[in-house]
Amino acid sequence: MNKKKKKKTHVPFRLNILFFLVFVLFSALVLRLGVVQIVYGDDYRREIERTEEVTVNNSVPRGKMYDRNLKLMVDNQPLDAITYTRKQGTKQIEMVETAEKLAKLIDKETNKVTDRDKKDFWILNNPELAEKKITDKERKQVEEGELEEGDLYKLQLDRITEKEMEIPKEEMEVLAIYREFASGYALTPQIVKNKKVTKEEFAKVSEHLDSLPGVDVSTDWDRFYTYNKTLKSVLGKVSSSEEGLPSESLNYYLARDYSRNDRVGKSYIEAQYEDVLQGQKAKVRNVTDKSGNIVDSEVITEGSRGKDLILTVDMDLQLATEEIIEKQLIAKKKMGNTKFLDRAFVVMMDPNTGEILTMAGKKYEKDSKTGKSSIEDFALGNITTSYTMGSSVKGATVLTGYQQGAIQPGTYFYDTKLKIKGTKPKGSYSNFGNINDLTALKVSSNVYMFRTAINIAGANYVPNEPLNISSSAFSTMRNSFAQFGLGVRTGIDLPNEMSGFKGSETSPGKLLDLAIGQYDTYTPMQLVQYVSSIANGGNRMKPHMVKEIRDPVDNNKELGPVAEDVSPTVINRLEMKEEWIERVQSGFEKVSMEQGGTAYKYFGNKPYTVAAKTGTAQAFYDGPNRADYSEPQDTMNITLVGYAPAKNPEVAFAVVVPWAYQGHSGHNMSKEIGEEIMDTYFKLKKERAKKGKTEETTELKVENGKDIQKEQAEIRNSQENE
């Protein structure tokens, strides 16, 4: 019997090979997974769990400013703010989406949106069309190194048309918000809106924070000036949140741990004391995951607002002085021959400490559009503008004469016009005859100063003959004047102080002009430093605007402890004998307190004593309308310097009225201002003394009342016990 044939398998050979390959691959996969899990598992786990620490500095409010009587001058006004904090790795399209949502909740001004912003926004919203702005040839040039990628971007910007840049109002608001988002730094809050944030906007944004990634509501601040424009230019400006760090000082501030969008002092006191006013910024360490999400935050330093400044200024005196200047300007402008009069300055300083009590300046400003005039603050003119000051500087001339041996205390000269060959006669406003140094100061003799300058130069005056002097005499006089602060920077704690201008001619007549204050120019601040050096007996004091620096405290109604007391600084001591300075002090006192003195009419019958020196300088108009005249226009500068009380000075002052009038005679605005500011100073002093005495008496009554009540209670208790 034949055996049955063996049944063949239904699985083809090729399928077996396929199964085998699958088995091999599966085994390899299992092996690989084992290697990944066992060998590299910890490494991959650490990579997944990897975090990054980023430290962020959060700004704090600036320090406040007070006057010497602790009246608040500059404060921080709280503002509702909407902010945006961009996490690391946030895409532009995500920011646009958030900006679109936020634009529906708030109104955002679009006036800061630039054409460049519009072009960038168009490229972001139209990537395909933007790509078509570049030709294949240009892309090939990039591959071949003839162009760079950045060049293609510039070409895209240049080829965007005006029509393509037309953006509807709704989208413009989105762009304005997106612009703020993009200008911020990762994990650093960026102000989106902090002005005119309505309560409705604040509430709406607060309600929708869950759908607005990165957006938050917060409180910002702005500088608030209690006295409006008074001294505002001297107090200085602070950059806005949009401006951030000034470009010219960017590297300086970045090196000092500032953020690019930090607000800093831009000018004058705000800039000069930036390190003090800025405060200690809060430092926060943010821990982010691989996606840039913040998973943890830790406050490293709490931070504190800036330290407070106590200024030397007396705001009651400052306001009164400004009112006096403004009233005088208005009154004198109504007089004839005053077409160039447009400004006036007053500086008052403690001659013993250099503390500036007032720094007032006013000037007429004309609106170019309306043509209307107004009187504006020009306090900065006390350090940024200079003028010929006239006879006010004659105290320095006399003391220089003593120092150089050109004259002695009591030296006499015959006051009559000097006649130098080839020049016009030069003299005083009157021929005073034979006078000494004290009378020369009292009546403001020009001839006495001319003869002193001639002797300083070692020259010999012969009527109707040439006068030969050495040019070195100019240096001799200027170096001596510099001891007082004339013609050099005073050292005040404000930037941008000017030193004045020195004439370049060295003819004999110019030396005589220098001796009577009609050649070189000086600032009002230099003038008050000069008279203070005479008032205090020979110390040139450094003027300063800051009296104290105080640590901040949490209670806004309280002042913190003194962190630094600004001590008086003597820049130099006059190289003069004590009796010489006393001699000039006597001459100054005669000017205002003795009949016949040029300021006696204004101070002679006062309940206080003043030592002063008046000044009138023939000058040329050099103001804002100078270009309207083809030839230099003659005018008169009038000045007044002084101090009071005459025997024990506590206040020195300088009054400067440039371009006061035209012609050889006119008003006495400088003297009238001087009289009024001194009346005001002593009136305030008397009122404060009376108020202090009243408060003292009240406190005494209260204390005595408590004692009586205590005694009565003790008597009652003893009676009850008995």
Side-chain angles (χ1 to χ4, degrees):
M1 185 173 171
N2 292 333
K3 289 185 180 179
K4 290 184 179 178
K5 285 187 179 177
K6 211 173 190 179
K7 228 177 186 184
K8 288 186 178 178
T9 178
H10 295 287
V11 181
F13 176 73
R14 283 177 292 181
L15 194 56
N16 288 330
I17 294 175
L18 181 61
F19 286 153
F20 178 75
L21 289 175
V22 170
F23 172 76
V24 171
L25 291 173
F26 185 75
S27 300
L29 180 61
V30 172
L31 181 63
R32 181 60 182 164
L33 287 173
V35 171
V36 168
Q37 185 172 358
I38 298 169
V39 179
Y40 299 108
D42 291 340
D43 292 338
Y44 287 120
R45 190 179 298 109
R46 280 194 295 269
E47 178 65 21
I48 292 171
E49 296 174 355
R50 181 175 65 86
T51 60
E52 185 177 351
E53 292 186 357
V54 180
T55 301
V56 177
N57 294 330
N58 292 332
S59 62
V60 293
R62 293 175 74 80
K64 303 177 185 180
M65 298 187 203
Y66 299 81
D67 85 333
R68 67 186 300 109
N69 299 311
L70 305 184
K71 291 187 176 182
L72 185 62
M73 295 174 64
V74 184
D75 198 359
N76 300 306
Q77 184 178 24
L79 301 172
D80 287 336
I82 297 166
T83 65
Y84 177 77
T85 305
R86 177 168 57 86
K87 72 178 184 179
Q88 292 176 325
T90 301
K91 296 178 181 178
Q92 290 178 319
I93 194 64
E94 293 174 343
M95 288 193 284
V96 172
E97 290 172 358
T98 304
E100 288 174 346
K101 294 176 183 177
L102 185 58
K104 295 176 182 178
L105 304 176
I106 67 171
D107 290 326
K108 176 68 177 175
E109 292 183 358
T110 61
N111 56 333
K112 292 182 180 178
V113 174
T114 64
D115 287 345
R116 175 62 178 272
D117 293 328
K118 293 177 183 178
K119 290 181 178 182
D120 285 333
F121 197 61
W122 184 88
I123 291 173
L124 183 62
N125 289 330
N126 303 276
E128 293 180 1
L129 293 176
E131 286 293 318
K132 292 179 181 179
K133 298 283 185 185
I134 307 299
T135 65
D136 293 338
K137 181 181 177 182
E138 288 163 344
R139 296 187 194 284
K140 190 173 181 182
Q141 286 178 309
V142 172
E143 293 174 5
E144 294 173 353
E146 295 178 14
L147 290 176
E148 295 181 359
E149 284 290 341
D151 295 324
L152 297 184
Y153 171 64
K154 291 177 184 177
L155 290 171
Q156 284 178 318
L157 293 175
D158 293 338
R159 292 167 182 171
I160 295 173
T161 65
E162 291 289 335
K163 187 174 182 180
E164 288 171 329
M165 287 169 55
E166 292 177 1
I167 301 175
K169 182 184 176 183
E170 296 77 13
E171 287 191 31
M172 277 290 287
E173 286 195 359
V174 174
L175 170 54
I177 294 171
Y178 168 75
R179 180 179 179 271
E180 301 294 351
F181 286 3
S183 63
Y185 301 91
L187 305 181
T188 302
Q190 174 74 12
I191 299 292
V192 177
K193 185 176 181 180
N194 63 352
K195 292 181 180 177
K196 299 180 181 178
V197 176
T198 66
K199 292 182 179 179
E200 185 180 1
E201 287 177 332
F202 197 82
K204 282 183 178 179
V205 174
S206 299
E207 291 171 4
H208 292 83
L209 290 179
D210 291 341
S211 60
L212 298 168
V215 175
D216 201 357
V217 289
S218 180
T219 301
D220 194 26
W221 55 269
D222 198 7
R223 281 311 225 185
F224 174 75
Y225 301 88
T226 309
Y227 296 94
N228 199 10
K229 293 182 179 180
T230 301
L231 273 180
K232 192 174 179 180
S233 58
V234 176
L235 297 172
K237 295 181 180 179
V238 177
S239 63
S240 65
S241 54
E242 292 89 353
E243 290 175 296
L245 301 181
S247 56
E248 65 274 13
S249 308
L250 182 62
N251 292 333
Y252 169 80
Y253 284 117
L254 290 177
R256 299 171 71 85
D257 207 22
Y258 280 71
S259 299
R260 289 176 182 267
N261 60 347
D262 277 346
R263 304 173 66 181
V264 297
K266 293 170 59 179
S267 59
Y268 297 99
I269 292 178
E270 292 279 14
Q272 188 77 13
Y273 289 89
E274 169 63 26
D275 290 348
V276 174
L277 292 167
Q278 179 67 17
Q280 180 64 46
K281 294 195 290 185
K283 288 184 179 290
V284 179
R285 182 187 291 119
N286 291 319
V287 181
T288 63
D289 60 18
K290 190 178 179 181
S291 301
N293 298 308
I294 298 176
V295 296
D296 189 24
S297 290
E298 178 189 357
V299 177
I300 302 172
T301 307
E302 287 288 348
S304 60
R305 71 172 179 84
K307 294 181 180 179
D308 298 327
L309 298 182
I310 310 299
L311 304 186
T312 60
V313 175
D314 183 330
M315 282 307 295
D316 292 333
L317 188 59
Q318 176 78 25
L319 291 168
T321 300
E322 290 189 0
E323 187 178 339
I324 291 167
I325 295 173
E326 191 165 334
K327 180 188 70 176
Q328 284 281 344
L329 272 175
I330 293 171
K332 298 304 184 284
K333 279 297 283 185
K334 294 177 181 177
M335 299 175 64
N337 298 324
T338 59
K339 64 178 179 180
F340 297 136
L341 173 63
D342 72 340
R343 64 193 64 191
F345 306 97
V346 173
V347 186
M348 300 173 74
M349 183 171 94
D350 184 332
N352 304 301
T353 64
E355 294 178 2
I356 300 297
L357 305 178
T358 68
M359 183 175 167
K362 292 286 183 178
K363 72 171 178 177
Y364 273 98
E365 292 279 9
K366 182 174 283 189
D367 190 302
S368 57
K369 294 181 180 179
T370 64
K372 292 183 178 180
S373 295
S374 60
I375 299 179
E376 302 295 333
D377 175 72
F378 194 34
L380 282 176
N382 285 291
I383 64 170
T384 60
T385 62
S386 64
Y387 313 92
T388 51
M389 298 299 187
S391 300
S392 289
V393 306
K394 286 177 178 176
T397 302
V398 170
L399 282 166
T400 301
Y402 295 156
Q403 185 187 38
Q404 296 299 317
I407 58 173
Q408 299 292 330
T411 294
Y412 278 81
F413 287 121
Y414 194 83
D415 187 314
T416 189
K417 283 185 171 61
L418 300 188
K419 298 177 181 178
I420 302 169
K421 188 175 181 179
T423 65
K424 293 180 180 179
K426 296 174 76 70
S428 305
Y429 62 88
S430 178
N431 292 335
F432 295 109
N434 203 33
I435 58 173
N436 65 7
D437 48 344
L438 292 180
T439 305
L441 290 171
K442 173 184 172 181
V443 300
S444 199
S445 166
N446 286 345
V447 172
Y448 196 96
M449 305 304 148
F450 294 156
R451 297 297 298 268
T452 299
I454 291 169
N455 286 358
I456 290 172
N460 183 34
Y461 167 69
V462 178
N464 299 314
E465 292 294 327
L467 182 64
N468 298 314
I469 65 165
S470 170
S471 61
S472 63
F474 285 88
S475 297
T476 300
M477 288 194 67
R478 283 168 174 157
N479 289 341
S480 179
F481 278 28
Q483 292 184 70
F484 300 87
L486 296 172
V488 292
R489 291 184 176 87
T490 65
I492 189 171
D493 52 345
L494 292 173
N496 304 326
E497 181 188 13
M498 76 175 302
S499 58
F501 296 100
K502 295 178 173 62
S504 56
E505 292 184 45
T506 56
S507 62
K510 295 301 182 185
L511 182 70
L512 305 190
D513 290 341
L514 178 63
I516 61 170
Q518 296 195 163
Y519 192 37
D520 290 358
T521 67
Y522 313 115
T523 67
M525 189 62 69
Q526 290 173 358
L527 210 58
V528 79
Q529 188 180 51
Y530 141 74
V531 76
S532 292
S533 301
I534 294 173
N536 63 35
N539 291 325
R540 179 184 166 214
M541 303 303 298
K542 179 181 178 181
H544 57 103
M545 295 289 295
V546 174
K547 183 180 176 70
E548 293 175 352
I549 299 171
R550 295 198 176 222
D551 287 325
V553 290
D554 293 334
N555 189 341
N556 284 331
K557 295 182 180 180
E558 294 180 3
L559 275 171
V562 176
E564 183 181 343
D565 192 357
V566 180
S567 302
T569 301
V570 178
I571 297 177
N572 61 266
R573 173 78 185 166
L574 299 182
E575 296 177 2
M576 312 284 178
K577 291 182 180 178
E578 191 174 328
E579 55 265 31
W580 295 347
I581 298 172
E582 290 174 354
R583 182 82 175 174
V584 171
Q585 288 173 343
S586 297
F588 277 19
E589 192 170 352
K590 288 177 179 292
V591 169
S592 50
M593 305 309 295
E594 192 171 285
Q595 203 154 13
T598 55
Y600 176 77
K601 175 183 174 182
Y602 301 91
F603 298 108
N605 296 313
K606 297 293 181 183
Y608 53 85
T609 58
V610 175
K613 184 71 195 77
T614 58
T616 305
Q618 296 178 4
F620 294 111
Y621 173 67
D622 192 29
N625 300 321
R626 170 69 181 85
D628 296 345
Y629 303 92
S630 57
E631 297 291 332
Q633 299 293 300
D634 292 331
T635 186
M636 292 288 186
N637 298 340
I638 56 176
T639 59
L640 177 70
V641 297
Y643 52 87
K647 299 300 183 186
N648 188 23
E650 60 188 52
V651 60
F653 61 89
V655 182
V656 179
V657 185
W659 319 318
Y661 54 83
Q662 290 70 62
H664 292 289
S665 62
H667 56 79
N668 293 298
M669 182 173 164
S670 58
K671 297 171 189 173
E672 291 172 16
I673 289 177
E675 178 186 14
E676 289 190 70
I677 62 173
M678 282 296 94
D679 284 349
T680 302
Y681 175 84
F682 284 104
K683 180 183 176 183
L684 282 172
K685 182 181 177 182
K686 185 177 180 180
E687 288 174 354
R688 286 168 179 167
K690 186 177 180 181
K691 184 180 178 183
K693 192 171 182 180
T694 303
E695 289 175 352
E696 212 173 279
T697 305
T698 303
E699 288 175 7
L700 185 62
K701 284 180 179 178
V702 171
E703 287 177 5
N704 289 341
K706 286 180 179 178
D707 290 340
I708 292 169
Q709 290 173 1
K710 186 177 179 181
E711 289 174 3
Q712 289 175 342
E714 289 176 352
I715 292 171
R716 282 196 303 270
N717 289 334
S718 62
Q719 289 175 345
E720 288 172 1
N721 291 334
E722 289 177 359

